[in-house]
Amino acid sequence: MAAPRWSVLGFWIRRNSQGLGSLFVLVSKSFCSAAAASEPLNAQRLAEKLRAQKQEQVTKKEPVSTNPVQRRVQELVRYTRQLQRVHPNVLAKALTRGILHQDKNLVVINKPYGLPVHGGPGVQLCISDVLPILAKMLHGHKAEPLHLCHRLDKETTGVMVLAWDKDMAHQVQELFKTRQVVKKYWAITVSVPMPSAGVVDIPIMEKEAQGQQQHHKMTLSPSYRMEDGKMVKMRSSRKAQVAVTQYRVLSSTLSSALMELHPITGIKHQLRVHLSFGLDCPVLGDHKYSDWNKLAPQKLSVGTLKKLGLKQSKARYIPLHLHARQLILPALGSRKEELNLVCKLPHFFARSLRRLGLEMPNQDQSNNSETQ
């Protein structure tokens, strides 16, 4: 009977050959031990590589500049880009630290600056991506993902409502849709509206803006215009949507204002369009709606730039100063009373208030604002 054979590393080895058998044992042991050692070695190298990359990122941090303008730019970048390029777990953990309210139906978070609510082309991280992680951090690994109840623009900060189940999310969405939710925003504007309080009731529509870069923007679609000193009714566009914003000035200087905005309707970019094109008071840091024909950094006066500690060439770093300050939800489900949610200002917003000489409303005025 022929002795069995095995093929190892290109050699045919017979069991009866003692010399080659010893060689087979030696080679096979060495081969197996090397293969077994390669896995932890690769893992070790990977860990070392990750540590080196992390150390490189730390050492690459921009040093604090002696130039005051550059220091101001670094400050703005630090305040506004903290959570835009982090791991989803890091973002979820940050959101848990900013929870404004939590019960068996709802979770209310403080939305950071620069994070879109939904994904899309070029979006690396968004709020909806981390809802499953956030739910597990709050309710354990078996928790179902949280659900969005409404949306905020990428650059807008402040109160954002999430629900634990789809039915509750639909109920809250219906409250927003039927205008039963009171929404109040704070904005810093680069000029002061006249009069200091009022209502902007001008329809809004989306149009293509002609310029060096063709792009689409929301714009006013007024129902009337002045012609030879007379008010003339215009033909309304089918694409125009009713848009109503109540506003009032909380604090002002000669060139800037802190405003409270109460959108009665919820049209895309409504507040920014009404302020910029309706009241000629664009929001500080609104690089899209400060000029109709151009997509360019907002043009600011020399005095405003000086107060902000910036030059016009660095104005592109100024974030949008629009903050969802307050939401009042009516009684819902087992909750028999309304829910008043107030969110503190982000750091960059508060710093700009101080630099521009704008005063925060005192407690009494703020309370009156919240109950009106």
Side-chain angles (χ1 to χ4, degrees):
M1 180 176 177
R5 299 182 298 175
W6 294 270
S7 174
V8 179
L9 298 179
F11 293 100
W12 289 96
I13 302 173
R14 294 180 181 273
R15 181 186 295 173
N16 293 340
S17 177
Q18 294 180 352
L20 289 179
S22 302
L23 177 63
F24 168 70
V25 172
L26 178 63
V27 170
S28 62
K29 283 184 177 179
S30 302
F31 179 76
C32 294
S33 60
S38 66
E39 291 186 7
L41 184 62
N42 288 341
Q44 183 179 356
R45 286 177 180 172
L46 179 60
E48 290 173 355
K49 184 178 179 181
L50 290 174
R51 280 195 293 269
Q53 288 177 348
K54 187 174 182 181
Q55 185 62 33
E56 186 179 356
Q57 290 175 354
V58 171
T59 55
K60 274 187 176 180
K61 281 186 178 178
E62 194 173 0
V64 177
S65 174
T66 57
N67 184 313
V69 174
Q70 191 60 34
R71 281 206 308 270
R72 178 63 174 141
V73 169
Q74 290 175 352
E75 178 186 90
L76 288 172
V77 170
R78 186 172 69 252
Y79 281 146
T80 58
R81 298 184 184 176
Q82 288 176 335
L83 297 173
Q84 294 176 30
R85 296 180 181 178
V86 299
H87 191 278
N89 288 1
V90 176
L91 175 57
K93 189 66 175 177
L95 294 179
T96 62
R97 290 195 293 267
I99 287 178
L100 306 174
H101 173 82
Q102 182 179 354
D103 58 34
K104 65 179 182 180
N105 295 317
L106 304 174
V107 175
V108 184
I109 62 172
N110 178 2
K111 180 191 169 297
Y113 178 84
L115 281 169
V117 173
H118 298 285
V123 175
Q124 296 181 347
L125 186 63
C126 62
I127 298 293
S128 60
D129 286 344
V130 301
L131 294 185
I133 304 171
L134 180 60
K136 287 178 171 59
M137 286 183 175
L138 297 175
H139 271 192
H141 290 290
K142 293 184 179 180
E144 294 294 323
L146 286 155
H147 301 271
L148 295 166
C149 296
H150 63 116
R151 67 182 299 276
L152 291 174
D153 290 340
K154 174 183 174 181
E155 297 87 358
T156 304
T157 58
V159 182
M160 186 165 195
V161 182
L162 310 172
W164 281 111
D165 59 65
K166 284 186 178 180
D167 289 340
M168 180 55 62
H170 289 321
Q171 290 182 52
V172 177
Q173 289 164 6
E174 189 64 22
L175 292 177
F176 277 94
K177 186 177 179 180
T178 55
R179 304 175 189 173
Q180 296 183 60
V181 179
V182 177
K183 300 173 288 183
K184 293 189 178 180
Y185 292 72
W186 280 12
I188 297 178
T189 60
V190 295
S191 56
V192 185
M194 291 296 292
S196 60
V199 175
V200 182
D201 185 356
I202 307 176
I204 290 176
M205 63 179 293
E206 188 171 25
K207 289 181 67 176
E208 183 177 356
Q210 301 297 329
Q212 292 181 346
Q213 296 175 282
Q214 286 194 346
H215 55 282
H216 287 80
K217 288 182 180 179
M218 306 301 288
T219 188
L220 300 177
S221 180
S223 302
Y224 295 87
R225 69 179 180 188
M226 292 297 293
E227 193 173 286
D228 298 329
K230 296 181 180 179
M231 191 79 75
V232 178
K233 185 172 177 60
M234 298 175 63
R235 183 178 179 181
S236 59
S237 170
R238 292 181 180 179
K239 297 180 181 179
Q241 297 174 283
V242 174
V244 183
T245 302
Q246 186 177 353
Y247 74 91
R248 71 186 186 112
V249 174
L250 299 176
S251 175
S252 65
T253 63
L254 291 176
S255 59
S256 59
L258 171 63
M259 295 179 61
E260 180 184 75
L261 310 166
H262 176 198
I264 308 301
T265 54
I267 307 303
K268 178 183 176 181
H269 296 171
Q270 172 181 320
L271 298 178
R272 297 163 66 181
V273 172
H274 274 173
L275 286 175
S276 187
F277 303 145
L279 294 174
D280 195 24
C281 293
V283 179
L284 178 64
D286 193 344
H287 307 295
K288 182 170 186 173
Y289 288 105
S290 292
D291 188 297
W292 167 250
N293 291 312
K294 292 189 296 185
L295 284 174
Q298 187 177 45
K299 291 284 187 182
L300 297 172
S301 68
V302 175
T304 299
L305 288 168
K306 186 176 180 180
K307 289 179 180 178
L308 293 173
L310 292 170
K311 294 180 179 179
Q312 181 58 49
S313 61
K314 304 296 183 182
R316 66 184 182 275
Y317 291 103
I318 301 175
L320 183 74
H321 286 63
L322 181 62
H323 178 65
R325 166 75 174 173
Q326 181 184 15
L327 279 183
I328 302 178
L329 291 171
L332 185 65
S334 59
R335 181 167 40 81
K336 303 303 181 184
E337 54 187 25
E338 68 181 20
L339 184 61
N340 188 1
L341 303 160
V342 179
C343 184
K344 68 178 183 179
L345 297 172
H347 291 298
F348 71 84
F349 197 116
R351 291 292 294 270
S352 294
L353 282 178
R354 290 193 291 271
R355 284 179 168 270
L356 293 170
L358 296 168
E359 297 179 357
M360 284 276 290
N362 60 40
Q363 194 64 34
D364 292 337
Q365 185 178 354
S366 181
N367 287 341
N368 290 337
S369 162
E370 292 166 7
T371 56
Q372 285 179 355

